Each structure stands twice: as C-alpha cells, then as structure tokens.
Amino acid sequence: MIDSYRQMEIRDGAMAKGLDILITAAEIQKKVEGLAGRIGKDYQGKNLVVVGVLKGSFVFMADLIRQIPLPLACDFLRVASYDQDRSTGIVRMEFDMTQPVAGKDVLLVEDIVDSGRTLTHLLKHLEEKKPASLRVCSLLFKEVGSGVRDKIDYLGFTVPNRYVVGFGLDSEGLYRSLPYVAALR
Ligand code: 5GP
C-alpha cells in the first residue's frame, strides 16, 4: 500500500514536470540485474573492460557494473552529436579512453541507440584498437527502423520515438538524476 502511494506520488511529480514515465525505477533495477547476470555468465574467464559513453551512460553503467560478479576494468569516452536535444548528424569524439584495450574483451555501454549513427561510429573507432572481442550493451533502443538493433548484444528496453530523459539521459543538461525513464511531453 505504501509502495503504491509512493508510485502515485512519483507519477504525479513527473506529470507536474511535464514528463510521462515510460519505465519505472523498479523495472530498470530488475532489468539491470538480468543483464548483469547474462554478462557475468558470458564473460567468465575473460578480460572484461566496460567502456561507458559519456555522459548519458554513467548512471546505467554504475548500476550495471556493481551487479556483474566478475573482476572488470572501466573506461570512458565521450562523443557529442546532439545540440539542444537535436541530432546534428555529425559524431564528434570529445575524448577517448585512457587504457589500451588490444586483446581485451570490450563491452561498450550506451544509454540509448536512436539512429545508430553514434554506435556505428564508436564500433569502428573501437575495432581499430584491436580488442579480442567487442559487444554492446544499451539501456534503451528507439524503434525508428534504423536497422541497428542487431548491433546491440544486451538491450534493456525498446522505447517509442519520443525524446526521453532520466536515469542518466538529459534534456539540455537536466533530468539525469531521475530514477526512472520518461518522455518529454
Ligand atoms: P544516435 O546516434 O543513435 O541517433 O543517437 C545516440 C545518442 O543521441 C545517444 O547516446 C544520446 O546521447 C542521444 N539521444 C538520442 N535519442 C535521445 C533521446 O531520446 N533522449 C536523450 N536524452 N538523448 C538521446
């Protein structure tokens, strides 16, 4: 009962902010557990390096790595292609990883794959670093018929073609700290 009142409070708070909650915090946590379990099984005995794409993936990645029951290393890179919530169509590398990944098993962690332009660019960039393997984990995939779904090895949720925020994803720098994923109205 207390939980459902809390859920109502959260939903009403989101509505007041002009947000429609698409995925609740509880649903995300359950999914993260499932993904981490699969990754834990698949990477046993491997040399796992989890690479987060900043800034959007940092919340998801922080939760995910803490549930992967294996030794692992973390690194980050940053690309920009969006300006004021709109894709510019140009993917720019703002900074690169700091450790070599040649011969290691790289898991790239994304917040959301939309057109797939960023992901395609990053996969090419990482392949040049000659990892032993390269896979992709994304919290979200936007169903826009871009045909890149098969590049995502571990997927959290598919979302509709709306601009989403929360759980690391922003709109003009805001909303990253929300524990749920919501669409801007
Ligand atoms: P893509 O290159 O696949 O079109 O876009 C990927 C990047 O664009 C994501 O990593 C994210 O930074 C940004 N992006 C795409 N769609 C959304 C969205 O709905 N919300 C937010 N906050 N960022 C998005």
Side-chain angles (χ1 to χ4, degrees):
M1 189 57 121
I2 291 171
D3 266 6
S4 58
Y5 278 129
R6 178 82 191 113
Q7 288 301 331
M8 276 163 61
E9 254 176 50
I10 292 170
R11 197 199 54 215
D12 292 350
M15 281 173 72
K17 291 189 186 95
L19 303 174
D20 295 323
I21 296 182
L22 301 179
I23 310 164
T24 65
E27 286 167 335
I28 297 173
Q29 290 316 319
K30 197 162 165 230
K31 185 68 77 173
V32 168
E33 249 174 60
L35 289 173
R38 279 176 57 202
I39 293 166
K41 283 203 185 90
D42 294 351
Y43 283 87
Q44 263 178 31
K46 306 249 181 194
N47 212 335
L48 176 59
V49 184
V50 181
V51 177
V53 185
L54 294 173
K55 299 177 190 169
S57 75
F58 82 100
V59 176
F60 175 45
M61 178 161 155
D63 280 8
L64 185 73
I65 55 165
R66 284 179 295 169
Q67 305 238 25
I68 300 175
L70 294 175
L72 57 86
C74 294
D75 210 334
F76 297 93
L77 42 75
R78 174 157 163 76
V79 286
S81 62
Y82 267 55
D83 186 27
Q84 294 193 337
D85 301 353
R86 287 193 199 288
S87 175
T88 58
I90 301 158
V91 183
R92 189 162 37 88
M93 175 79 56
E94 292 200 329
F95 63 77
D96 203 350
M97 295 150 53
T98 55
Q99 307 155 46
V101 288
K104 305 216 169 138
D105 297 288
V106 172
L107 180 64
L108 184 68
V109 176
E110 266 280 20
D111 53 351
I112 184 166
V113 176
D114 182 349
S115 70
R117 218 176 284 129
T118 308
L119 182 60
T120 304
H121 182 91
L122 285 174
L123 287 175
K124 189 165 167 277
H125 175 78
L126 285 167
E127 264 153 18
E128 283 165 9
K129 296 179 187 284
K130 306 271 181 257
S133 69
L134 176 56
R135 286 188 182 173
V136 176
C137 177
S138 183
L139 175 67
L140 305 173
F141 172 64
K142 217 185 265 184
E143 192 60 88
V144 286
S146 59
V148 288
R149 168 65 187 88
D150 59 353
K151 290 190 180 159
I152 307 171
D153 302 280
Y154 305 94
L155 174 63
F157 305 90
T158 299
V159 289
N161 191 13
R162 295 176 67 183
Y163 195 81
V164 296
V165 296
F167 208 73
L169 291 100
D170 77 314
S171 170
E172 298 187 25
L174 295 176
Y175 304 110
R176 292 194 199 276
S177 58
L178 295 176
Y180 48 78
V181 171
L184 287 185
R185 218 172 288 146

